[in-house]
């Protein structure tokens, strides 16, 4: 069993890294929001102005947030829903309580793996609905604001809204797949996921639409078609890879995956070594990154700001891939080494 508590290897740079991220993440989010609405929209450099403290406090904004969470929580609790069985958890239901846990590190990553009140699972609830749907609603509000401002929404705004709506719709349609992510199985529910899900996703993932509202970008049909093609290629790889693995994990004899080549592991689970998962070790990340590029391109190339998501996401996925690699090495040992030899590239064929 993987070491836990005080013996576990610390991630995210340990307490120092966690302390830095606690400050950096909210500061970055504020910086991006302030800069997006300024004329020069400079990603690097100080923000154009700092709002007064009173400007940051609006009772109705708090009420709106609480109402949004309350509404989502009520919908989540509706009795008419499918109940899915989750994966075996990292702690195998045996709890250990180290006395001298580091409070900053624990606050960032969360001590509690899956906090629940009755059947209300805080982490699962936050991971998808409020933040992802909130992101789409913010995008839509920006589209409507642009229509009010300029008579009709621009083609660039339509593309950004359409692409991101597809992405969120896909995540909600395949909701059950979230149960196999490391966020649910491995990470605690701390600042990273609470802030990430509820603030970072809706406010920074909608940055392209925010940028377009203040910095209109003329976009011709030929270029728009190329961008649509890039998004379609990304989505094809992303969905193909995720569905192939999910189908295989659910039922390895399913005709759609039964012919794929696999290697056995000591745990009894097998690893795919052909199909999407024989191309690179994380084909789904590759597709996701191609889509991220397609979301930025409608904003033109005059500013770096709309490419923030692509840059951040590349860093997130490289780090996530390394973490997943460690976890797979612990789970599968020699079989994982064999897989890495057979499929040497991590995300981008022949490059990385
Ligand atoms: N937009 C965003 O901000 C983010 C999006 N994502 C997206 O979410 C999706 C889920 O990503 P994530 O949770 O990181 O992980 P993955 O869906 O990539 O799952 C990784 C797991 O898949 C299994 N696996 C790995 N290789 C193989 C293989 N060859 N054959 C069979 N199983 C294999 C292993 O688990 P096991 O063997 O136990 O099944 C491994 O731990 C991705 O599409 C990603 O792009 C992720 C993070 C952020
Ligand atoms: C605030 C930090 C910099 C990092 C926070 C990370 C979170 C925003 C992401 C961690 C894993 C995520 C996943 C998704 C959204 C972003 C977070 C919460 C998806 C739900 C996006 C849609 C995909 O289809 C599934 C993803 C699972 C992981």
């Amino acid at each position: 069993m993987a070491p836990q508590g005080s013996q576990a290897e610390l991630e995210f740079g340990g307490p120092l890294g966690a302390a830095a991220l606690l400050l950096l993440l909210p500061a970055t989010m504020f910086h991006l929001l302030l800069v997006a609405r300024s004329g020069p929209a400079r990603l690097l450099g100080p923000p154009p102005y700092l709002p007064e403290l009173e400007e940051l406090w609006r009772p109705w904004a708090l009420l709106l947030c609480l109402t949004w969470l309350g509404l989502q929580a009520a919908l989540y609790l509706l009795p008419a829903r499918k109940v899915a069985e989750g994966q075996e958890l990292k702690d195998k239901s045996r709890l250990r309580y180290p006395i001298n846990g580091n409070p900053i590190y624990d606050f960032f990553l969360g001590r509690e793996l899956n906090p629940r009140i009755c059947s209300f699972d805080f982490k699962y609830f936050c991971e998808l609905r409020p933040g992802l749907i909130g992101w789409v609603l913010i995008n839509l509000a920006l589209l409507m604001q642009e229509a009010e401002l300029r008579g009709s929404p621009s083609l660039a705004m339509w593309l950004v809204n359409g692409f991101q709506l597809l992405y969120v719709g896909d995540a909600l349609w395949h909701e059950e797949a979230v149960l196999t992510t490391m966020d649910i199985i491995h990470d605690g529910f701390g600042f990273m996921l609470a802030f990430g899900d509820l603030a970072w996703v809706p406010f920074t993932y909608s940055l392209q639409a925010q940028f377009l509202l203040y910095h209109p970008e003329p976009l011709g049909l030929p270029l728009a078609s190329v961008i649509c093609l890039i998004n379609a290629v990304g989505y094809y790889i992303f969905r193909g890879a995720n569905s192939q693995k999910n189908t295989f994990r659910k039922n390895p004899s399913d005709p759609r995956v039964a012919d794929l080549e696999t290697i056995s592991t000591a745990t009894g689970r097998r690893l795919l070594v052909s199909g999407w998962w024989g191309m690179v070790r994380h084909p789904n990340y590759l597709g996701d990154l191609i889509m991220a590029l397609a979301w930025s391109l409608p904003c033109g190339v005059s500013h770096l700001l709309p490419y923030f998501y692509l840059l951040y996401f590349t860093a997130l996925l490289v780090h996530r891939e390394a973490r997943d690699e460690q976890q797979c090495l612990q789970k599968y040992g020699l079989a994982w080494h064999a897989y890495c030899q057979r499929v040497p590239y991590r995300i981008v064929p022949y490059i990385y």
Side-chain angles (χ1 to χ4, degrees):
M1 181 171 156
Q4 289 185 5
S6 54
Q7 296 147 22
E9 198 182 311
L10 299 181
E11 299 178 295
F12 291 93
L16 254 181
L21 285 168
L22 281 173
L23 298 174
L24 258 178
L25 287 172
T28 306
M29 194 178 87
F30 273 118
H31 175 77
L32 292 168
L33 294 180
L34 289 177
V35 161
R37 59 187 56 203
S38 74
R42 253 185 249 111
L43 176 58
L44 306 173
Y49 80 102
L50 284 178
E52 300 286 325
L53 268 185
E54 306 88 74
E55 271 187 74
L56 295 176
W57 165 245
R58 298 266 190 287
W60 63 262
L62 177 65
L63 192 71
L64 202 69
C65 283
L66 292 179
T67 311
W68 173 242
L69 286 179
L71 171 73
Q72 288 295 334
L75 291 172
Y76 175 87
L77 286 172
L78 278 184
R81 64 207 153 113
K82 184 178 166 194
V83 178
E85 201 169 305
Q87 297 278 306
E88 186 178 63
L89 297 177
K90 191 184 79 162
D91 62 2
K92 304 209 170 23
S93 297
R94 265 203 300 157
L95 296 176
R96 298 173 66 185
Y97 296 96
I99 304 301
N100 288 314
N102 185 299
I104 296 178
Y105 182 77
D106 288 347
F107 179 70
F108 182 73
L109 261 179
R111 276 229 55 81
E112 194 61 43
L113 195 57
N114 297 94
R116 277 179 163 223
I117 294 179
C118 301
S119 68
F120 190 94
D121 189 304
F122 285 90
K123 190 162 59 168
Y124 176 59
F125 166 68
C126 290
E127 180 91 2
L128 283 173
R129 300 169 199 216
L132 286 189
I133 304 175
W135 168 20
V136 166
L137 290 181
I138 290 175
N139 272 353
L140 189 67
L142 291 161
L143 182 141
M144 285 161 63
Q145 215 179 332
E146 198 191 35
E148 231 175 73
L149 210 70
R150 306 202 175 92
S152 65
S154 61
L155 181 55
M157 183 66 98
W158 278 118
L159 288 195
V160 166
N161 263 262
F163 294 162
Q164 299 183 350
L165 178 67
L166 170 73
Y167 188 72
V168 170
D170 176 274
L172 297 175
W173 184 259
H174 297 97
E175 190 175 18
E176 201 174 329
V178 166
L179 298 180
T180 62
T181 60
M182 71 172 75
D183 313 73
I184 298 290
I185 301 170
H186 178 273
D187 295 337
F189 187 56
F191 176 88
M192 180 179 78
L193 282 182
F195 174 79
D197 295 337
L198 299 177
W200 185 262
V201 167
F203 293 110
T204 62
Y205 285 29
S206 59
L207 208 59
Q208 282 105 353
Q210 298 192 45
F211 174 86
L212 284 174
L213 182 67
Y214 295 97
H215 307 85
E217 186 65 34
L219 184 65
L221 268 184
L223 185 56
S225 313
V226 174
I227 297 174
C228 285
L229 187 69
I230 297 176
N231 194 64
V233 170
Y235 182 72
Y236 179 71
I237 301 176
F238 167 84
R239 182 55 19 236
N242 280 326
S243 293
Q244 196 167 69
K245 175 167 69 72
N246 293 340
T247 307
F248 179 73
R249 280 284 173 251
K250 266 192 183 159
N251 175 18
S253 346
D254 187 303
R256 285 169 293 177
V257 291
D259 291 339
L260 294 175
E261 214 183 319
T262 60
I263 50 176
S264 309
T265 74
T267 63
R269 276 157 95 88
R270 283 184 286 145
L271 290 167
L272 291 165
V273 288
S274 66
W276 288 114
W277 297 81
M279 190 172 83
V280 282
R281 299 207 291 275
H282 265 290
N284 47 354
Y285 289 3
L286 176 64
D288 223 335
L289 283 170
I290 296 174
M291 282 192 284
L293 173 68
W295 301 352
S296 303
L297 287 174
C299 304
V301 288
S302 56
H303 291 81
L304 189 58
L305 189 92
Y307 293 82
F308 172 80
Y309 177 75
L310 180 62
L311 298 176
Y312 138 82
F313 198 42
T314 306
L316 180 129
L317 290 183
V318 165
H319 180 234
R320 199 170 165 94
E321 195 280 335
R323 296 180 70 214
D324 190 51
E325 184 97 357
Q326 275 307 107
Q327 289 162 25
C328 286
L329 204 58
Q330 273 183 5
K331 262 187 287 187
Y332 301 124
L334 285 177
W336 187 258
H337 280 300
Y339 177 48
C340 294
Q341 271 183 347
R342 175 81 186 255
V343 184
Y345 292 98
R346 296 163 192 264
I347 301 178
V348 187
Y350 305 106
I351 296 181
Y352 179 73

